[in-house]
Amino acid sequence: MCGRYATTRSSGDLSAVFESYDDTDGGVRPDHNVAPTDRVPVVRVDPERGRALSVGRWGLVPHWAKSAAGAARMINARAETVATSRAYALPFARRRCLVPADGWYEWVRRAGGGKQPYFMTPRDGSVLALAGIWSRWEATLTFSVLTTAAVGGLAEVHDRMPLLLPPDRWADWLAPADDPAALLVPPSADWLAGLEIRPVGTAVGDVRNDGPELTARVSLDRERSHGTDALF
């Protein structure tokens, strides 16, 4: 966790929501099935121009790395160790970002075999901000999503969840902080209650698939009758 998510809003919409200027150089494309190493929007702070909507490659590569070969293993940073990890400590201290998402996917093993995917998304259709950290490797902006222990009903789907930031915490996450570790508190149970845990079709398990049908609610009885596993 988190290994797959969706982000479908335009650069114009995201710039408005996050009150940022558009630094994407041509915008961003809708992606209902973001996978490791994909290029997707992030919101960071440019020292000269302020809050910026940029494009980053999912899978942080430390600036000192000799190659980007391990990026797919660096898509997540654990909140419990991010401040002390050699790869993540500096980005966490100085280069925090917001990762816009419609929602994220998890898979639950079925009692009768196979895996059932779920899409966690706001019931009101609003955008999610996943807590992220970024770094530059050569000319490429790369990033990781922070994860923490799952809370409430989300723990029934997976023991981990992205560190989710409600809108009133966006500014603090992006700003310099004397004690960044104080920012790692998960959102309240009341706020998390606004998330829908939606069963979706197994097609999302194949990274080659994309489109709004991947996030559509399905009948669990229908999915069980197919007897198929998600591929991930």
Side-chain angles (χ1 to χ4, degrees):
M1 187 313 94
C2 159
R4 207 75 65 77
Y5 71 97
T7 181
T8 66
R9 288 170 170 81
S10 69
S11 57
D13 287 345
L14 292 174
S15 294
V17 169
F18 289 98
E19 299 179 338
S20 59
Y21 78 91
D22 187 350
D23 187 39
T24 60
D25 190 26
V28 294
R29 68 174 185 84
D31 193 339
H32 295 81
N33 199 0
V34 177
T37 74
D38 283 353
R39 295 175 61 83
V40 285
V42 298
V43 179
R44 63 187 183 90
V45 173
D46 181 290
E48 297 181 356
R49 298 185 61 184
R51 199 177 289 189
L53 179 72
S54 303
V55 172
R57 188 172 183 264
W58 190 19
L60 188 140
V61 182
H63 70 277
W64 40 260
K66 294 182 179 179
S67 80
R73 298 191 300 274
M74 303 280 282
I75 59 170
N76 293 157
R78 294 176 67 91
E80 296 87 343
T81 56
V82 67
T84 56
S85 164
R86 178 174 178 243
Y88 299 134
L90 181 60
F92 175 59
R94 301 183 184 178
R95 303 187 188 98
R96 294 183 297 276
C97 63
L98 305 173
V99 182
D102 297 0
W104 77 98
Y105 300 97
E106 287 294 353
W107 283 258
V108 176
R109 189 170 295 280
R110 302 185 185 116
K115 296 171 183 175
Q116 173 60 50
Y118 289 85
F119 185 58
M120 277 57 67
T121 187
R123 297 180 193 276
D124 63 4
S126 59
V127 67
L128 287 176
L130 316 183
I133 54 177
W134 66 274
S135 181
R136 283 203 185 274
W137 185 77
E138 297 186 348
T140 302
L141 190 157
T142 68
F143 73 95
S144 293
V145 171
L146 270 69
T147 69
T148 190
V151 177
L154 295 174
E156 298 180 17
V157 178
H158 199 280
D159 62 350
R160 304 289 294 178
M161 70 178 193
L163 178 59
L164 304 166
L165 298 173
D168 61 0
R169 294 179 57 188
W170 294 354
D172 287 343
W173 183 259
L174 293 174
D178 293 333
D179 181 17
L183 302 173
L184 296 172
V185 179
S188 69
D190 286 345
W191 189 86
L192 288 170
L195 297 179
E196 175 189 0
I197 301 175
R198 178 190 302 169
V200 295
T202 54
V204 69
D206 189 331
V207 297
R208 296 169 295 184
N209 294 331
D210 194 4
E213 66 277 6
L214 298 184
T215 63
R217 173 178 284 274
V218 300
S219 162
L220 289 181
D221 289 339
R222 181 173 67 84
E223 282 302 303
R224 290 191 188 102
S225 70
H226 289 173
T228 56
D229 278 313
L231 308 172
F232 71 107

